[in-house]
Amino acid sequence: MEQLKCVFQDGPIIVGAGPSGLAAAACLHQSGVPSLLLERCDCIASLWQHRTYDRLKLHLPRQFCQLPFLNFPNYFPKYPSKHQFVSYMEDYARHFSIQPKFMQTVLSARFDSVTGLWKVQTLDSIYVSRWLIVATGENAEPVIPEIHGLRRFKGPVIHASEYRSGSEFAEKKVLVVGCGNSGMEVSLDLCCHRASPSVVVRNSVHILPREMLGVSTFSMAMVLLKWLPLKVVDKFLLLVANFAMGNTAKLGLRRPKTGPLELKNSTGKSPVLDVGAFSLIKSGLIEVVEGVKEITKIGARFCDGQEREFDSIILATGYKSNVPTWLKGEDFFTKDGMPKTPFPCSWKGENGLYAVGFTRRGLPGTSSDAVKVAKDIADQWKKINSNKYSAKELKLDIFGKIRENLDREGTF
């Protein structure tokens, strides 16, 4: 077996080169702290580049989605497209001289209490640092639900992460499982390509216009929250939404008893910001169906007893964190891979462990985390570099501790 290369990193190790990892690296760069960014794929923002549908646009206005220290270009539209956002992130990486190490899947990351260091192991290397920043995010892996009979369905079954365009489904009857933003937009895109989608709405869901009275719903909520309690803002949003959309329950879209902002803060479940699907539901071009009881060879049987035939099934069932599969020996994250400490204190663990992008608040939450993490590490960095050790002496001292541990236990 080939011996792994051991690499000491002066600054923090960041795992994940999506928006969270890039934001953390940029904020550290601005503070004069070097970092090492490890990415399992061959590009930055791999989720955006390889696992999103073509028609995707940012759901929030661009000013809420830009990363720290670099705004979107002025010529970008109010809601940038997927391709525009990817180009922005590529420019962002160049601007801050961020050069990730690609194809570095992290197999394990563990803190060693003897040396006080993190050991991050990939297929060919062991990276060592005082600090570890987890930036793999809430959407690292697709969620594939267990639906009775799914494996016996004869037609194609794909997750929304594999969906690109409805052009492949023209004239087909498609069952879309999941009624979040992805499920609604996939259904809209299918309609635009002459497919016949049926979207499964198993539970209650808030659907709001993306804009109210010509103003972004999110922008409006952020302004109102500066002056009014959250529950009052929720009531206002629902009042305006009911005026614009009517009683959505009549179309099979029952609203939760908890308001949209309160529900987002407590569970992370985002309201659907409508970009056109709702009008197609009203016109009958997108059918709303109840929960699926089981999948048959040629279709689905629903909880209300109806049975329908479908040509394809698309699982718009979301994503999950993969942190528990590689971060070892830590109690900071839950079994679902989310920090146990709620926002706004979810960014810092113990022993030099940090998290960026696990706030359930999208890109605004990511930026907030990155700024806090960089400041905290920069303060430590200044103290370390102002003591009697030079950087070279510090590195020699650390590798001495590693060798002692190897001699004693045969492993680091």
Side-chain angles (χ1 to χ4, degrees), residues 332-352:
F332 180 64
F333 286 87
T334 67
K335 64 179 181 180
D336 296 321
M338 297 295 292
K340 292 182 178 179
T341 307
F343 179 85
C345 302
S346 55
W347 58 276
K348 185 176 182 179
E350 297 180 346
N351 302 318

Side-chain angles (χ1 to χ4, degrees), residues 6-14 28 32-37 101 116-118 126-133 352 354 376-385 389-399 402:
C6 188
V7 181
F8 175 76
Q9 172 63 26
D10 288 334
I13 297 170
I14 305 170
L28 288 164
V33 180
S35 62
L36 174 66
L37 188 53
K101 289 184 71 70
L117 300 170
W118 284 92
I126 296 176
Y127 300 96
V128 181
S129 173
R130 290 175 176 270
W131 304 281
L132 175 66
I133 301 174
Y354 297 88
D376 197 69
I377 293 177
D379 289 343
Q380 299 172 55
W381 177 265
K382 291 173 185 176
K383 291 178 182 178
I384 290 172
N385 284 276
Y389 283 109
S390 68
K392 183 177 180 181
E393 289 170 334
L394 178 63
K395 190 177 294 187
L396 288 172
D397 182 47
I398 288 172
F399 272 115
I402 294 173

Side-chain angles (χ1 to χ4, degrees), residues 46-190:
S46 60
L47 173 65
W48 284 83
Q49 297 211 50
H50 298 319
R51 292 191 285 169
T52 51
Y53 40 92
D54 293 341
R55 72 169 292 120
L56 177 63
K57 293 184 178 181
L58 296 180
H59 291 108
L60 307 183
R62 68 186 192 193
Q63 66 266 30
F64 295 104
C65 300
Q66 53 205 16
L67 302 181
F69 304 114
L70 187 67
N71 295 341
F72 282 105
N74 290 331
Y75 60 84
F76 271 27
K78 186 176 183 179
Y79 300 99
S81 69
K82 156 190 170 176
H83 301 293
Q84 287 169 326
F85 186 63
V86 169
S87 72
Y88 164 71
M89 285 191 286
E90 291 174 339
D91 290 341
Y92 192 84
R94 284 191 291 269
H95 183 83
F96 294 104
S97 302
I98 301 171
Q99 297 179 319
K101 289 184 71 70
F102 295 116
M103 307 306 291
Q104 290 291 302
T105 299
V106 172
L107 303 178
S108 66
R110 189 184 301 272
F111 181 75
D112 182 79
S113 57
V114 175
T115 61
L117 300 170
W118 284 92
K119 180 188 73 171
V120 180
Q121 183 176 335
T122 65
L123 287 171
D124 58 13
S125 301
I126 296 176
Y127 300 96
V128 181
S129 173
R130 290 175 176 270
W131 304 281
L132 175 66
I133 301 174
V134 179
T136 46
E138 305 161 8
N139 302 318
E141 303 292 343
V143 172
I144 308 296
E146 292 184 9
I147 304 175
H148 182 64
L150 186 61
R151 293 184 179 180
R152 66 187 177 204
F153 182 67
K154 291 185 176 181
V157 178
I158 64 170
H159 188 268
S161 60
E162 302 172 84
Y163 178 89
R164 296 295 171 268
S165 167
S167 59
E168 304 170 32
F169 301 89
E171 310 300 335
K172 303 290 185 182
K173 291 182 289 185
V174 184
L175 180 66
V176 180
V177 181
C179 62
N181 281 295
S182 294
M184 288 296 186
E185 285 200 47
V186 165
S187 298
L188 170 62
D189 191 57
L190 287 166

Side-chain angles (χ1 to χ4, degrees), residues 250-271:
K250 292 181 178 180
L251 299 171
L253 302 168
R254 295 177 294 105
R255 292 193 183 277
K257 294 181 180 179
T258 307
L261 298 181
E262 185 179 358
L263 189 67
K264 172 67 175 174
N265 287 349
S266 61
T267 68
K269 185 177 181 181
S270 298

Side-chain angles (χ1 to χ4, degrees), residues 206-209 212-213 217 220 224 231-247 255 259-260:
H206 280 300
I207 181 165
L208 306 173
M212 296 181 175
L213 308 175
T217 302
M220 185 182 298
L224 292 174
K231 289 191 176 183
V232 174
V233 177
D234 266 342
K235 288 182 179 179
F236 174 79
L237 293 178
L238 290 176
L239 182 67
V240 177
N242 288 334
F243 176 77
M245 310 179 88
N247 183 0
R255 292 193 183 277

Side-chain angles (χ1 to χ4, degrees), residues 192-383:
C192 292
H193 289 88
R194 297 178 290 106
S196 300
S198 298
V199 60
V200 175
V201 181
R202 186 180 62 177
N203 299 313
S204 56
V205 59
H206 280 300
I207 181 165
L208 306 173
R210 183 169 66 172
E211 294 194 344
M212 296 181 175
L213 308 175
V215 180
S216 155
T217 302
F218 185 80
S219 300
M220 185 182 298
M222 292 303 100
V223 171
L224 292 174
L225 284 172
K226 293 179 180 179
W227 308 100
L228 299 171
L230 183 144
K231 289 191 176 183
V232 174
V233 177
D234 266 342
K235 288 182 179 179
F236 174 79
L237 293 178
L238 290 176
L239 182 67
V240 177
N242 288 334
F243 176 77
M245 310 179 88
N247 183 0
T248 60
K250 292 181 178 180
L251 299 171
L253 302 168
R254 295 177 294 105
R255 292 193 183 277
K257 294 181 180 179
T258 307
L261 298 181
E262 185 179 358
L263 189 67
K264 172 67 175 174
N265 287 349
S266 61
T267 68
K269 185 177 181 181
S270 298
V272 173
L273 296 177
D274 178 54
V275 294
F278 184 71
S279 64
L280 297 180
I281 291 174
K282 289 179 69 175
S283 67
L285 292 175
I286 298 176
E287 182 185 21
V288 173
V289 295
E290 293 189 17
V292 176
K293 185 175 183 180
E294 66 174 324
I295 300 297
T296 65
K297 289 183 179 180
I298 57 173
R301 187 174 294 114
F302 299 98
C303 294
D304 61 0
Q306 291 189 57
E307 188 168 342
R308 302 276 302 282
E309 293 185 8
F310 294 98
D311 300 301
S312 303
I313 298 175
I314 298 173
L315 303 173
T317 44
Y319 298 83
K320 63 182 179 180
S321 164
N322 67 2
V323 174
T325 65
W326 57 269
L327 184 64
K328 308 298 181 182
E330 290 300 315
D331 193 42
F332 180 64
F333 286 87
T334 67
K335 64 179 181 180
D336 296 321
M338 297 295 292
K340 292 182 178 179
T341 307
F343 179 85
C345 302
S346 55
W347 58 276
K348 185 176 182 179
E350 297 180 346
N351 302 318
L353 177 65
Y354 297 88
V356 176
F358 293 87
T359 64
R360 298 192 190 276
R361 283 162 172 77
L363 291 167
T366 287
S367 295
S368 172
D369 278 351
V371 171
K372 293 175 184 175
V373 169
K375 183 181 184 306
D376 197 69
I377 293 177
D379 289 343
Q380 299 172 55
W381 177 265
K382 291 173 185 176
K383 291 178 182 178

